[in-house]
Amino acid sequence: MRRATPKPAPARRSHWTRRFHRLVGVASLVFLVLIAISGLLLNHADDLGLGNRRAASPLLLKVYGIESPPIVSSFSASGLTFASTPSALYANGRELLVTTAPLRGAVAGPGSVIVATAEEILVTTPDGMLIERFDPDISGPLLQLGASPSHFVLRTSASTYALDAEGMTVSELIRDDGDVAWSLPSDPSDEQVERIALAAIGSSLSWERVLADLHSGRILPSVGRYLADITALCLLYLSVTGAIMWFRLQRNGALDSPRQRSKAPKRAAGTGHARTRR
Amino acid sequence: MIAPRTLRFSWLATVSLAVTMLVVTTSAQAVQYQARADFLRETLGSEKPPSAVVWMNDELRQIATEVLGHKPVTLRTRYWYNETRTVWILDEIGKEKPITLGIVIEGQAIKLLRVLEFRESRGWEISYPFFADQFEGIGLHRSGKLSGRIDGISGATLSVNAATRSARFALILDQYATRNTKARASAP
């Protein structure tokens, strides 16, 4: 007589379901918590201003591979050091203006500092606050800024102009003003370079972006996406097995209240299931 | 049936056209429609008209931040004027690059708004008269918003918003400029 292969008892299946459910739950706990918290914060990113908050943590910047931009040019005037990177202009290590135009000079004015980029003239306070910016409407990009005894001087490849810093007007100089002290480049100090680096790289990364990358797993470029996928599958598994276990418990009356249990028909002892004839 | 050579040519033409359009639309060359000096000459009759400045005090800085959506970049804003009007040249970021706008205000209402320079790859439709002409005659409502409705342009929302913010800010600055002028005139 052939012996039928015994089928696993429902209790054993239930046991393994619960066991795996617990295992998967514990294994994915950390990732689920990270995803939940980052999701909650992202949902309220505007209210929390996360898009405007800069993440300047050295660890994060290292993770993202963000390096300090090169200093293209630097000039000093009135105790201020102006330096330009490919995307911004800094005064004593503090971002003054977002601009791609290279710096051309800085000279001291009466109670202010005149700064020239290839495209415009800036006037700052002696402590580096931007008072005004002015597009001089001259032919060609600015090459140099200087000062003569009577006025500031701008030089392009085509001509030389006198700048009236009060009225912000320029007039072409017919003859070359030989008495001009041209602004010359200077090297920023190490402290300045470090401050600019922190300001520059810190401004390129917001907390909203960090959270979005954490939420999607992209914060770890090579494996993060797959970890996020696995976490999603774990969550799916937990949902399904959780539903199955609930259904089983519901069917067995384990979720019934004591009053409901006292009215229900007695079930077979041992298995917790009603015996069925085969 | 279309000949294979025709089909190959069609594909080549389509791809070439697509690439050209992509390059043209994504290349962000600045376009200067009018130089500032020319705009001042046209609106005030002089290349170097008299100018004055409005300083950002705390109150105005707060208003500017609310209107523009960001802190004002400079501590003062220059304007040019004659007996009847003020002229403002403002830079406001559209999507990523600044748009230079010339705004003429007369009798606390906009007389003219014009794009002087546009630096982005899309949204340049705001330089067309059909858009800019909407601002003529618009002033400030009691609430501080524009007194008239400005119709947007599909695909140029950020540029439209930049122009609208600049218009509103220019009207507010004009009020401050007028107030300062009256204060100076009545000072002993």
Side-chain angles (χ1 to χ4, degrees):
Chain A
M1 193 170 70
R2 206 189 292 171
R3 234 177 152 176
T5 311
K7 285 187 183 176
R12 215 171 296 154
R13 274 208 303 273
S14 182
H15 162 73
W16 281 108
T17 305
R18 279 200 304 275
R19 195 166 179 178
F20 274 123
H21 183 94
R22 278 200 297 263
L23 261 170
V24 170
V26 168
S28 59
L29 175 68
V30 171
F31 300 104
L32 284 174
V33 166
L34 273 173
I35 286 176
I37 292 175
S38 58
L40 275 170
L41 289 171
L42 281 169
N43 218 16
H44 299 277
D46 286 342
D47 300 325
L48 296 170
L50 295 176
N52 296 325
R53 289 198 189 173
R54 300 296 143 196
S57 154
L59 174 64
L60 276 173
L61 296 173
K62 198 173 173 184
V63 165
Y64 276 90
I66 296 175
E67 291 172 355
S68 53
I71 292 179
V72 176
S73 53
S74 172
F75 292 82
S76 294
S78 288
L80 287 173
T81 301
F82 297 91
S84 64
T85 64
S87 59
L89 181 59
Y90 297 84
N92 273 6
R94 194 167 36 86
E95 187 178 292
L96 185 64
L97 194 67
V98 173
T99 177
T100 55
L103 194 54
R104 294 297 193 215
V107 295
S112 62
V113 181
I114 309 299
V115 182
T117 71
E119 292 176 357
E120 59 187 334
I121 304 296
L122 312 171
V123 182
T124 77
T125 61
D127 54 2
M129 302 282 293
L130 184 59
I131 298 174
E132 189 173 346
R133 51 194 300 197
F134 164 64
D135 181 343
D137 258 351
I138 51 182
S139 60
L142 252 161
L143 297 178
Q144 263 187 308
L145 168 69
S148 73
S150 49
H151 44 245
F152 298 105
V153 183
L154 310 174
R155 192 174 71 80
T156 67
S157 58
S159 194
T160 314
Y161 299 83
L163 166 68
D164 170 14
E166 267 302 308
M168 283 297 176
T169 56
V170 292
S171 48
E172 197 165 355
L173 285 172
I174 306 298
R175 58 179 177 79
D176 189 12
D177 197 330
D179 220 7
V180 180
W182 296 106
S183 175
L184 296 172
S186 63
D187 288 328
S189 64
D190 291 341
E191 189 203 340
Q192 294 276 343
V193 171
E194 198 181 319
R195 267 204 257 170
I196 289 169
L198 269 175
I201 56 184
S203 67
S204 59
L205 188 64
S206 70
W207 277 110
E208 187 175 4
R209 183 177 156 193
V210 173
L211 285 168
D213 288 342
L214 190 65
H215 192 75
S216 64
R218 283 179 170 75
I219 200 157
L220 300 172
S222 47
V223 301
R225 273 192 311 159
Y226 301 111
L227 282 175
D229 288 345
I230 292 169
T231 308
L233 290 170
C234 289
L235 188 56
L236 208 57
Y237 177 82
L238 291 171
S239 306
V240 169
T241 51
I244 290 172
M245 289 192 302
W246 177 85
F247 181 71
R248 281 184 187 150
L249 289 170
Q250 172 83 352
R251 196 179 56 182
N252 298 339
L255 297 178
D256 291 346
S257 64
R259 195 174 170 184
Q260 282 172 312
R261 265 190 226 130
S262 64
K263 288 182 184 172
K266 290 210 190 299
R267 289 186 166 82
T271 62
H273 296 271
R275 281 196 182 173
T276 51
R277 283 180 185 266
R278 291 191 183 177
Chain B
M1 187 179 156
I2 301 173
R5 194 186 289 179
T6 310
L7 267 173
R8 279 202 295 275
F9 175 77
S10 303
W11 275 113
L12 188 63
T14 305
V15 168
S16 303
L17 187 61
V19 168
T20 306
M21 284 176 67
L22 191 66
V23 167
V24 165
T25 54
T26 56
S27 64
Q29 296 291 328
V31 175
Q32 188 184 59
Y33 294 101
Q34 188 174 24
R36 291 166 195 239
D38 293 339
F39 183 70
L40 291 174
R41 193 188 311 116
E42 179 192 331
T43 54
L44 293 172
S46 165
E47 216 171 87
K48 290 181 185 177
S51 69
V53 293
V54 174
W55 285 91
M56 292 284 151
N57 56 23
D58 290 340
E59 183 193 12
L60 187 52
R61 192 174 298 117
Q62 203 177 334
I63 293 170
T65 306
E66 188 202 311
V67 168
L68 299 173
H70 60 80
K71 283 185 194 168
V73 178
T74 55
L75 294 178
R76 72 186 186 204
T77 303
R78 185 167 296 273
Y79 66 99
W80 294 262
Y81 61 91
N82 62 15
E83 300 81 30
T84 56
R85 55 175 56 168
T86 58
V87 176
W88 305 83
I89 297 179
L90 303 176
D91 284 319
E92 186 59 24
I93 304 270
K95 186 177 179 188
E96 288 166 349
K97 304 249 173 95
I99 303 169
T100 304
L101 293 146
I103 303 170
V104 179
I105 297 179
E106 199 170 292
Q108 296 193 344
I110 294 176
K111 183 78 179 163
L112 170 72
L113 181 140
R114 185 175 297 161
V115 175
L116 300 182
E117 193 165 347
F118 194 86
R119 298 172 183 84
E120 301 206 277
S121 56
R122 50 175 64 188
W124 38 264
E125 295 90 342
I126 63 166
S127 62
Y128 286 161
F130 78 80
F131 173 76
D133 286 350
Q134 294 182 89
F135 289 89
E136 192 176 336
I138 283 190
L140 277 180
H141 190 263
R142 242 171 307 151
S143 61
K145 302 211 163 131
L146 292 180
S147 62
R149 184 194 140 89
I150 302 295
D151 287 334
I153 302 173
S154 176
T157 306
L158 295 175
S159 299
V160 167
N161 290 347
T164 308
R165 288 197 302 269
S166 297
R168 196 173 152 203
F169 190 44
L171 285 162
I172 292 169
L173 286 170
D174 177 72
Q175 284 183 344
Y176 272 78
T178 309
R179 199 190 301 173
N180 292 345
T181 306
K182 284 181 181 166
R184 274 200 298 273
S186 62

